[in-house]
Amino acid sequence: MVLSTEIFVMIISFIGLPLFYGMVYSSKMPGTRFFWYAYFSLLLSNTFTVIEEYWYYDLFNTLEHVMIIFGSVFIFIAVLRLTTVDAKKESDSFSNTDGE
């Protein structure tokens, strides 16, 4: 039986897609590609959650959890890229001012 919350979460994920696009596109931050990969991985995970109630439960349940793992890894990489680039810029700016 499909839970109404699972369908609701999937719909909200699809509705949030243009909002997420606008936020990430306008930010011009490093690692945006990995934020996109993470979003789509979680979107697929939500979709597989609903599909598993109708067809091939074991397959789609496994795919759901694999996509959650991928999404987590992509978020980790995106945050790592974002923080290392910012840290490198800050250290460069500190090294330039120390020499003067």
Side-chain angles (χ1 to χ4, degrees), residues 1-99:
M1 182 174 110
V2 177
L3 296 173
S4 60
T5 55
E6 293 173 347
I7 294 173
F8 180 72
V9 168
M10 183 183 71
I11 291 169
I12 293 298
S13 297
F14 278 104
I15 290 172
L17 185 61
L19 301 172
F20 186 76
Y21 173 79
M23 181 182 69
V24 171
Y25 182 75
S26 65
S27 70
K28 306 280 192 234
M29 63 184 174
T32 55
R33 175 178 44 163
F34 291 102
F35 281 113
W36 273 112
Y37 294 159
Y39 191 89
F40 282 117
S41 295
L42 296 176
L43 186 68
L44 283 173
S45 171
N46 291 333
T47 305
F48 291 152
T49 300
V50 174
I51 292 173
E52 77 184 9
E53 297 297 326
Y54 297 107
W55 302 289
Y56 305 110
Y57 174 81
D58 292 330
L59 172 68
F60 285 108
N61 189 44
T62 303
L63 288 173
E64 169 195 355
H65 290 93
V66 166
M67 295 314 292
I68 291 172
I69 292 169
F70 283 163
S72 301
V73 169
F74 290 139
I75 286 283
F76 178 75
I77 293 170
V79 169
L80 190 64
R81 283 199 168 191
L82 182 64
T83 56
T84 55
V85 169
D86 287 344
K88 185 176 179 182
K89 285 180 184 176
E90 287 179 12
S91 67
D92 288 344
S93 65
F94 286 132
S95 65
N96 289 341
T97 56
D98 290 340

